[in-house]
């Protein structure tokens, strides 16, 4: 059975600009709604700590969306996708390739795959450097602050686009316990059990949370008896201790272990080959927004991730300053196995199994004989196949991404409330990242989930990238705030980061067996390639590499509060993200691809650092005795060396590669408003518009003038919250959230035609159309329990989660977003 087509329609560009302009004039991020303790008729007074100081939201000279505990509970926020959907100026792609693969775009700056993120993830005052750490269940939340614009002077490396600051509930001196359970469609199940209280009254308190989730998935593989291709199961245990040995010393100790299993490579191919329409029909040149998804792979994908975290943070009051220090250890392992992509290129046309028979031909004949209809435009009779087919002709892929991190920070902070306040400190990080990607021969046998399987095994490896990346990062930082007058405050901060990176290749030295000769029985175009093409130049092993990256990250702010109800601010900041290494052999592989296709793409084994210079002016305030609060901001950012990840899937194998876009300019505006309209109604809305342009790109010179990849033209959020007391004990709640995401390109190659292995490929149809999703919550709340019904994506908009053009492949890899999901959640509190 064919899946239904994408239901979204493209907004006319003029309508989109009008809508966003209207939102910018009147709207705001879905920030705090009225708190229970707020005076009648006023919005909640919000305190923020994202600048490592305690400030009111109005006085903080930075664009920030604050999600308070009440908002987080009302909106049932559990995953990163939940709170990003409540934040204008921020978009996300999560879980399309694998569990740990989450890309967050903040005002046009994207967290590219396989490199460090472009934002700082801060949980309870500790920076989590592992990119996969963002993929977690967010439990016991007190608040989330999303800071936009460079935060490197405050949080250091990788905070060039902003910071996401998460605060969770601390252990308490009184006994607390709660159980939250939810059930919904498609086998959706969630449970969170929490207990907290005193262990040694006045000295030691503790908190333990256990969560479990299971989801069977929206979409299925029609060839494998409708097995799910987007299921997800996970469990976590979080423990926390607060130890206060004296009035001036305290320790915060946290530990977390987690396990998750899911499907992977949630993609379907969309071809972009106009010259072949006369042979294979119109589906060989298709707009991605009109694609009909049909999953037919013969291998059930899987993905496993395990997490172990431990941290200890201490604070000591020295009278003249507060000393704060922490140590964090993270270990996150991630591996996936999935069907391959190489049937498209006839890579395994002559593949022989261990009996000497042609496994590909046998498999293809069997599927046709069984009546399997290959999704258009595939045509087995003409040998035209896509990736992820029902046959064994596409091979398989196995990937490993494991990382260990240990980090340390110590800082001194002066007492607050003085004309001059300051902070200074040091930071160190050591990380070991193991990345392996292998492509193997599917012989119709169980796949051996190892990177390097011998040629006589039941699933021999045909291509192998395998590296151990080591990073040592050092930083020193300081900041100062000076109250020039009671209404004018100047701030300055400077941090200097140094990173020393190494790449050790782990592909066996001397392994020069010709995998095409062994697997196919012949050479491709008369050229023989080893297991890793980098071994051609270094037959006795690819040598280790080392590089040092460093940059200062200054920031200056000026905040002026001429009246208690309004604050103006201006900011300049510099962000920095280190360069690093692709898997050894990447450059040799891409050079082979470029020769075979005639492409001018240039990618090296090393990619450079990314920096940005950002300017922002803004205004915050309140009206009508705080019945209305608002934020306005305009910004301009120059990004140098924007890191970009792309897929290469050709006759030379499968590869994920990072490179730099030399110069990208971003400019835009953002607005935020919330209103306590009536005693029973709160309204929030927000909008962001970001324009972008690639000014220089040595990797793909013909993309100059295109838009920044993964950067929506606009985003918006609208929320209505109705709360009405039924009795003194019961309150009824209704919440409606709508999230709008504008048109988005996902590659530097956009409205243009480029060479591919099948001739000219044209990518004018790869811009994702604008879409919106809406969520509804209805429930009753009391002191000891809450019942909440929910409908996510109430209009069942099957939008595109991601579109990955692979120019040399001749098409794109597209993934669907989640459909409608409804259910009910019950919370019982002690």
């Amino acid at each position: 059975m064919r899946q239904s087509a994408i239901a979204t329609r493209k907004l006319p560009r003029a309508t989109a600009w009008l809508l966003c302009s209207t939102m910018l004039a009147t709207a705001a991020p879905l920030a705090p709604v009225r708190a229970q303790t707020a005076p009648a008729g006023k919005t909640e007074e919000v305190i923020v700590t994202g600048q490592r100081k305690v400030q009111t939201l109005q006085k903080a000279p930075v664009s920030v969306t604050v999600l308070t505990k009440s908002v987080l509970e009302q909106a049932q926020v559990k995953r990163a996708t939940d709170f990003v959907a409540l934040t204008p100026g921020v978009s996300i792609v999560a879980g399309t390739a694998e569990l740990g693969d989450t890309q967050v775009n903040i005002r046009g700056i994207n967290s590219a795959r396989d490199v460090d993120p472009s934002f700082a993830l801060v949980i309870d005052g500790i920076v989590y450097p592992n990119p996969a750490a963002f993929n977690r269940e967010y439990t016991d939340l007190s608040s989330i602050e999303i800071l936009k614009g460079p935060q490197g002077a405050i949080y250091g490396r990788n905070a060039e686009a902003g910071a996401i600051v998460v605060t969770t509930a601390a252990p308490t001196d009184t006994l607390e316990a709660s159980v939250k359970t939810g059930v919904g469609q498609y086998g959706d199940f969630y449970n969170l059990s929490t207990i907290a209280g005193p262990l040694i009254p006045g000295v030691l308190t503790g908190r333990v949370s256990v969560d479990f989730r299971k989801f069977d998935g929206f979409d299925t593989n029609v060839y494998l008896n409708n097995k799910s291709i987007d299921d997800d199961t996970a469990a976590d245990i979080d423990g926390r201790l607060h130890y206060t040995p004296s009035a001036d010393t305290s320790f915060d100790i946290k530990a977390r272990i987690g396990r998750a299993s899911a499907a992977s490579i949630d993609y379907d191919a969309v071809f972009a080959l106009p010259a072949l329409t006369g042979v294979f029909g119109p589906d060989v040149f298709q707009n991605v927004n009109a694609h009909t998804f049909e999953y037919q792979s013969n291998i059930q994908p899987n993905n496993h991730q395990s997490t172990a975290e431990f941290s200890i943070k201490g604070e000591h009051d020295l009278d003249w300053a507060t000393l704060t220090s922490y140590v964090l250890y993270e270990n996150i392992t991630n591996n996936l196995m999935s069907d391959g992509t190489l049937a498209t290129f006839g890579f395994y046309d002559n593949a022989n199994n261990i009996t000497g028979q042609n496994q590909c031909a046998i498999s293809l004949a069997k599927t046709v004989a069984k009546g399997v209809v290959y999704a258009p435009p595939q045509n087995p009779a003409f040998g035209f196949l896509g990736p992820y087919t029902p046959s064994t002709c596409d091979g398989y892929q196995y990937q490993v991404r494991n990382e260990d991190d240990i980090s340390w920070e110590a800082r001194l902070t002066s007492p607050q409330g003085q004309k001059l306040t300051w902070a200074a400190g040091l930071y160190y990080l050591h990380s070991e990242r193991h990345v392996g990607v292998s492509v193997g021969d599917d012989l119709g046998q169980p796949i051996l989930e190892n990177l390097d399987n011998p040629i006589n095994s039941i699933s021999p490896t045909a291509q192998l990238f395998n590296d151990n990346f080591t990073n040592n990062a050092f930083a020193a930082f300081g900041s100062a705030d000076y109250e020039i007058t009671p209404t004018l405050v100047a701030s300055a901060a400077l941090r200097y980061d140094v990173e020393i990176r190494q790449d050790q290749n782990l592909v066996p030295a001397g392994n020069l067996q010709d995998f095409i000769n062994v697997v196919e029985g012949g050479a491709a175009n008369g050229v023989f390639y080893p297991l890793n093409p980098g071994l051609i130049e270094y037959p006795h092993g690819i040598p280790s590499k080392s590089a040092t990256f460093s940059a200062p990250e200054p920031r200056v702010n000026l905040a002026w509060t001429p009246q208690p109800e309004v604050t103006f601010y201006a900011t300049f900041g510099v962000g920095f993200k280190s360069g690093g290494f692709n898997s050894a052999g990447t450059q040799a592989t891409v050079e082979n691809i470029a020769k075979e296709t005639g492409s001018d793409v240039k990618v090296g084994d090393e990619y450079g650092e990314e920096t940005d210079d950002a300017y922002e002016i803004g205004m915050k305030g309140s009206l009508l005795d705080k019945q209305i609060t608002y934020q306005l901001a305009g910004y301009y950012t120059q990004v140098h060396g924007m890191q970009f990840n792309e897929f290469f899937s050709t006759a030379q194998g499968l590869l994920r590669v990072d490179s730099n876009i030399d110069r990208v300019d971003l400019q835009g505006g953002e607005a935020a408003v919330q209103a306590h309209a009536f005693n029973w109604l709160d309204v929030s809305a927000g909008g962001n518009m970001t324009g972008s342009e690639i000014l220089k790109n040595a990797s793909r010179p013909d993309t100059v003038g295109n838009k920044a990849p993964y950067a929506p033209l606009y985003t918006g959020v609208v929320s209505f919250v109705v709360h009405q007391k039924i009795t003194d004990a019961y309150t009824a709640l209704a919440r409606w959230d709508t999230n709008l995401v504008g048109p988005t390109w996902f590659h530097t190659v956009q409205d243009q035609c480029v060479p591919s292995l099948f001739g000219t490929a044209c990518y004018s149809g790869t811009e994702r159309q604008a879409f919106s999703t809406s969520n509804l919550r209805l429930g009753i709340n009391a002191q000891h329990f809450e019942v909440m019904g929910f409908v996510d994506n109430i209009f069942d908009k099957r939008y595109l989660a991601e579109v990955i053009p692979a120019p040399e492949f001749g098409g794109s890899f597209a993934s669907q977003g989640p459909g409608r999901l409804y259910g009910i959640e019950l919370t019982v509190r002690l």
Side-chain angles (χ1 to χ4, degrees):
M1 179 181 293
R2 301 289 298 274
Q3 302 290 327
S4 61
I6 297 291
T8 53
R9 292 182 299 171
K10 188 169 184 178
L11 291 174
R13 190 60 56 93
T15 303
W17 277 96
L18 177 62
L19 173 61
C20 198
S21 299
T22 302
M23 294 181 70
L24 287 173
T26 63
L30 181 57
V33 298
R34 182 176 65 92
Q36 296 273 336
T37 57
K42 295 184 179 181
T43 56
E44 178 182 358
E45 181 75 279
V46 178
I47 302 299
V48 297
T49 60
Q51 298 284 285
R52 292 203 187 272
K53 65 187 79 170
V54 178
Q55 301 170 289
T56 63
L57 176 60
Q58 180 185 319
K59 296 292 182 66
V62 63
S63 290
V64 55
T65 295
V66 183
L67 306 176
T68 61
K69 184 176 182 179
S70 60
V71 171
L72 296 167
E73 290 179 347
Q74 291 167 3
Q76 296 178 309
V77 169
K78 300 180 181 69
R79 311 301 306 278
T81 49
D82 298 333
F83 62 76
V84 168
L86 302 177
T87 310
V90 183
S91 61
I92 188 171
V93 173
T96 55
E98 59 188 280
L99 282 165
D101 173 29
T102 304
Q103 299 176 84
V104 177
N105 190 288
I106 302 177
R107 290 181 172 179
I109 300 178
N110 195 60
S111 297
R113 280 186 174 89
D114 303 333
V115 299
D116 289 334
S118 59
F119 65 94
L121 174 62
V122 186
I123 303 177
D124 295 323
I126 296 175
V127 178
Y128 284 67
N130 194 317
F134 195 58
N135 174 58
R136 63 174 62 223
E137 202 75 22
Y138 290 84
T139 58
D140 299 328
L141 292 171
S142 293
S143 70
I144 296 178
E145 302 172 30
I146 300 96
L147 287 72
K148 303 157 194 175
Q151 305 299 318
I154 307 299
Y155 293 111
R157 56 188 298 279
N158 306 335
E160 55 158 350
I164 296 175
V165 181
V166 179
T167 302
T168 66
T172 60
D173 283 321
T174 57
L175 181 63
E176 295 181 355
S178 66
V179 177
K180 179 181 295 185
T181 300
V183 294
Q185 288 176 287
Y186 305 106
D188 182 44
F189 177 80
Y190 174 80
N191 181 267
L192 170 65
S193 300
T194 301
I195 186 168
L199 300 174
I200 303 176
V203 178
L204 184 66
T205 58
R207 189 179 192 94
V208 176
S209 296
V210 180
D211 67 81
F212 175 79
R213 72 175 185 274
K214 183 179 183 299
F215 179 60
D216 291 342
F218 293 101
D219 300 306
T220 60
N221 184 326
V222 295
Y223 180 71
L224 293 179
N225 298 318
N226 293 317
K227 289 185 178 180
S228 175
I229 58 94
D230 57 350
D231 59 303
D232 185 8
T233 302
D236 305 279
I237 301 175
D238 289 84
R240 188 173 184 182
L241 294 173
H242 267 195
Y243 175 50
T244 310
S246 65
D248 55 8
T249 304
S250 65
F251 295 94
D252 186 5
I253 305 167
K254 298 174 65 179
R256 176 175 178 264
I257 58 172
R259 299 289 185 272
S261 297
S264 62
I265 312 297
D266 182 11
Y267 297 118
D268 205 9
V270 185
F271 288 93
L273 301 167
L276 299 183
T277 55
V279 179
F280 299 109
D283 286 336
V284 81
F285 179 50
Q286 192 179 53
N287 187 297
V288 294
N289 299 281
H291 179 65
T292 299
F293 285 80
E294 185 168 350
Y295 304 98
Q296 295 182 306
S297 68
N298 70 307
I299 294 178
Q300 179 67 13
N302 65 54
N303 187 188
H304 303 289
Q305 179 176 295
S306 62
T307 301
E309 298 171 348
F310 176 80
S311 66
I312 179 167
K313 184 177 74 169
E315 288 194 359
H316 182 66
D317 187 354
L318 301 171
D319 292 331
W320 57 275
T322 299
L323 172 64
T324 304
S325 183
Y326 71 76
V327 175
L328 167 68
Y329 171 74
E330 295 178 277
N331 172 261
I332 300 179
T333 64
N334 188 80
N335 64 76
L336 70 87
M337 189 274 292
S338 174
D339 208 1
T341 64
L342 299 180
T344 308
F345 317 104
F347 189 89
Y348 288 111
D349 279 357
N350 300 311
N352 297 324
N353 66 12
I354 54 179
T355 66
Q357 297 176 305
N358 187 320
Q359 180 63 36
C360 172
I362 293 172
S363 171
L364 200 61
K366 284 183 177 179
T367 59
V368 173
K370 284 168 44 177
V372 175
V373 178
Y374 282 66
Q378 298 176 98
N379 190 324
F382 285 89
F384 185 75
L385 299 173
Y388 321 126
T389 73
S391 74
T392 64
C393 298
D394 37 29
Y396 73 90
Q397 56 182 298
Y398 181 69
Q399 302 185 25
V400 171
R401 284 173 177 83
N402 303 330
E403 182 167 336
D404 276 288
D405 303 286
I406 184 164
S407 56
W408 166 85
E409 182 181 283
R411 68 179 183 274
L412 290 168
T413 307
S414 69
Q416 301 298 298
Q418 305 174 138
K419 288 181 70 69
L420 175 65
T421 58
W422 55 268
L426 300 171
Y427 176 83
Y428 171 71
L429 165 70
H430 175 81
S431 66
E432 299 275 349
R433 182 181 299 173
H434 176 212
V435 177
V437 179
S438 67
V439 175
D441 191 356
D442 178 6
L443 300 179
Q445 304 293 319
I447 303 301
L448 300 176
E449 296 189 30
N450 305 303
L451 284 170
D452 191 4
N453 294 322
I455 197 64
N456 58 355
S457 71
I458 59 174
S459 55
T461 299
Q463 181 198 48
L464 179 61
F465 296 91
N466 194 7
D467 295 80
N468 191 63
F469 301 107
T470 303
N471 181 30
N472 287 286
F474 310 84
F477 56 89
S479 63
D481 296 344
Y482 182 69
E483 187 181 290
I484 301 172
T485 72
T487 62
L488 186 64
V489 177
S491 305
L494 177 64
R495 180 173 178 127
Y496 193 82
D497 276 282
V498 178
E499 300 204 22
I500 303 172
R501 300 207 165 201
Q502 294 179 310
D503 171 23
Q504 179 188 9
N505 176 57
L506 303 178
V507 176
N511 194 346
L512 285 173
Q513 66 196 40
D514 178 352
F515 69 81
I516 292 180
N517 188 45
V518 173
V519 177
E520 293 195 6
N525 298 327
V527 180
F528 293 87
Y529 298 101
L531 197 63
N532 183 311
L535 292 171
I536 296 175
E537 183 177 358
Y538 300 102
H540 301 294
I542 303 172
S544 297
K545 299 178 181 178
S546 178
T548 300
F549 303 90
S550 63
E553 296 166 86
R555 178 174 164 179
V556 292
N557 296 91
L558 193 63
W560 178 43
T561 308
Q563 299 176 1
E565 298 84 11
V566 63
T567 297
F568 299 91
Y569 69 89
T571 299
F572 168 74
V574 174
F576 163 72
K577 184 163 65 167
S578 172
F581 297 99
N582 288 307
S583 293
T586 292
Q587 182 171 336
T589 303
V590 175
E591 286 176 351
N592 290 335
I593 292 169
K595 290 177 183 177
E596 192 157 334
T597 61
S599 170
D600 62 354
V601 62
K602 298 178 182 65
V603 173
D605 284 347
E606 179 180 328
Y607 57 88
E609 64 191 39
E610 177 177 314
T611 62
D612 65 351
D613 302 324
Y615 305 81
E616 181 175 331
I617 57 173
M619 175 184 179
K620 300 181 179 183
S622 62
L623 300 169
L624 302 177
D625 194 24
K626 296 188 177 181
Q627 290 186 66
I628 299 174
T629 60
Y630 62 87
Q631 300 184 62
L632 300 168
Y635 54 89
Y636 169 66
T637 306
Q638 297 177 355
V639 186
H640 306 275
M642 177 180 279
Q643 292 171 1
F644 171 63
N645 182 275
E646 59 181 312
F647 284 14
F648 286 89
S649 179
T650 74
Q652 309 308 325
L654 176 69
L655 193 59
R656 286 166 31 171
V657 174
D658 291 288
S659 61
N660 297 93
I661 308 171
D662 299 83
R663 171 75 181 274
V664 180
D665 276 15
L666 307 165
Q667 58 281 321
E670 194 166 288
V673 66
Q674 65 160 68
H676 180 66
F678 303 98
N679 286 335
W680 52 270
L681 175 64
D682 294 296
V683 180
S684 300
N688 170 281
M689 180 170 287
T690 298
S692 64
E693 183 179 5
I694 297 174
L695 298 181
K696 184 180 180 182
N697 186 10
S699 178
R700 291 186 184 270
D702 58 349
T703 63
V704 170
N706 290 346
K707 306 299 184 184
Y710 286 82
L713 178 61
Y714 53 81
T715 55
V717 177
V718 179
S719 174
F720 299 92
V721 181
V722 176
H723 39 86
Q724 182 65 52
K725 275 190 173 294
I726 302 174
T727 68
D728 289 341
Y730 300 98
T731 299
L733 175 73
R735 182 183 183 93
W736 178 281
D737 296 302
T738 293
N739 173 248
L740 172 67
V741 180
T744 308
W745 295 98
F746 290 92
H747 201 284
T748 58
V749 174
Q750 295 169 11
D751 190 5
Q752 59 200 105
C753 297
V754 298
S756 78
L757 285 172
F758 300 100
T760 300
C762 295
Y763 286 89
S764 58
T766 58
E767 181 185 33
R768 180 180 66 185
Q769 296 174 353
F771 68 92
S772 66
T773 57
S774 297
N775 299 336
L776 176 64
R777 305 286 185 264
L778 293 170
I780 296 176
N781 185 37
Q783 181 179 0
H784 294 295
F785 78 92
E786 178 180 271
V787 178
M788 188 77 71
F790 63 87
V791 185
D792 292 334
N793 193 1
I794 193 168
F795 300 115
D796 199 23
K797 295 291 185 68
R798 295 310 305 271
Y799 60 91
L800 290 168
E802 185 178 26
V803 179
I804 305 177
E808 288 69 32
F809 164 72
S812 302
F813 297 94
S815 178
Q816 292 191 98
R820 179 169 52 216
L821 176 69
Y822 60 79
I824 190 169
E825 188 174 273
L826 171 65
T827 302
V828 178
R829 311 181 189 93
L830 181 67

